[in-house]
Amino acid sequence: DLQKLPGVGRYTAGAVASIAFGLRAPIVDGNVIRVLSRWCAVGAPTITKPVVAWHWEAAAAMADTDRPGDLNQAMMELGATVCTPKQPSCDSCPVATWCLARKAEASGEGSVTRFPRILKKAPPKKDERDAVVVFDEDCAVVLEQRPDGGLLQGFWDVPECEVGQAQELSRRLGGGKVARLGSVTHALSGRVQVRNVYACE
């Protein structure tokens, strides 16, 4: 099983199996999702587990052919060059006759481009804290290990505290008066970290 190899997921395994070895394995990427969603007018959000599973099942059924690698590559190419996200070339699409999204558009039920349905991402949460750079008696920067169960657990970092508590944190760590150096912003999945950095004078 190719997926047992390190770093090989379902997509890569399907690509290698079908294209390199001619095995009847599906490939599902963004292009294939778009083609299948429009072809079958799938109105449910594409990120839900049942819809993800349906796309893999549909792709597997289509790959059950004598030339699965060619079929998979054709589906990806169709999505990349014809069934594009914003301006699909429906008039030149080889499967337009059977496309339910196009039939719906012809009936005045909305544009082809409303498929696939993609949920808007929620704005990232802002995580703002103060970070204090304190030196010990050996002039080494004092570090703390992040607790288990939280973000970046086990990582070492300069001590942090709630916004506005930098001076109190410095005092508890044996430091003196703090001065603000600036802020650092780091984007993570679903959140934006802002750290107001202070150092002991």
Side-chain angles (χ1 to χ4, degrees):
D1 189 346
L2 291 170
Q3 291 188 62
K4 292 181 180 178
L5 297 174
V8 177
R10 193 173 186 182
Y11 168 85
T12 302
V16 173
S18 64
I19 298 171
F21 299 107
L23 300 177
R24 295 176 178 180
I27 296 177
V28 175
D29 68 352
N31 291 315
V32 174
I33 288 173
R34 189 165 52 255
V35 170
L36 291 175
S37 293
R38 290 175 178 171
W39 196 3
C40 299
V42 178
T46 56
I47 62 170
T48 59
K49 287 184 178 180
V51 176
V52 171
W54 179 88
H55 278 93
W56 278 101
E57 290 168 7
M62 295 182 68
D64 188 13
T65 177
D66 293 335
R67 297 165 61 187
D70 290 344
L71 183 282
N72 284 333
Q73 291 183 85
M75 288 290 287
M76 291 188 290
E77 190 70 10
L78 182 64
T81 61
V82 178
C83 194
T84 56
K86 294 183 178 180
Q87 294 181 322
S89 303
C90 295
D91 290 339
S92 59
C93 179
V95 296
T97 302
W98 304 279
C99 180
L100 296 183
R102 193 179 190 206
K103 290 180 179 179
E105 183 179 73
S107 301
E109 298 177 31
S111 172
V112 167
T113 56
R114 66 192 173 108
F115 301 102
R117 184 181 169 201
I118 300 174
L119 295 179
K120 291 184 178 180
K121 291 184 179 180
K125 296 179 180 178
K126 185 177 181 181
D127 172 24
E128 184 175 8
R129 294 173 63 81
D130 288 348
V132 180
V133 180
V134 178
F135 296 91
D136 63 16
E137 62 273 11
D138 298 320
C139 293
V141 176
V142 174
L143 298 176
E144 289 184 340
Q145 190 172 22
R146 291 181 176 271
D148 291 339
L151 187 66
L152 303 176
Q153 62 180 353
F155 279 48
W156 291 87
D157 204 350
V158 295
E160 295 179 353
C161 60
E162 298 295 325
V163 174
Q165 300 297 312
Q167 186 60 64
E168 174 61 21
L169 176 58
S170 175
R171 184 190 65 77
R172 284 192 280 114
L173 294 171
K177 185 178 180 181
V178 297
R180 180 169 172 152
L181 301 179
S183 295
V184 177
T185 300
H186 183 60
L188 298 169
S189 178
R191 73 172 61 200
V192 175
Q193 278 190 339
V194 178
R195 293 297 180 262
N196 306 312
V197 184
Y198 292 80
C200 294
E201 292 182 343

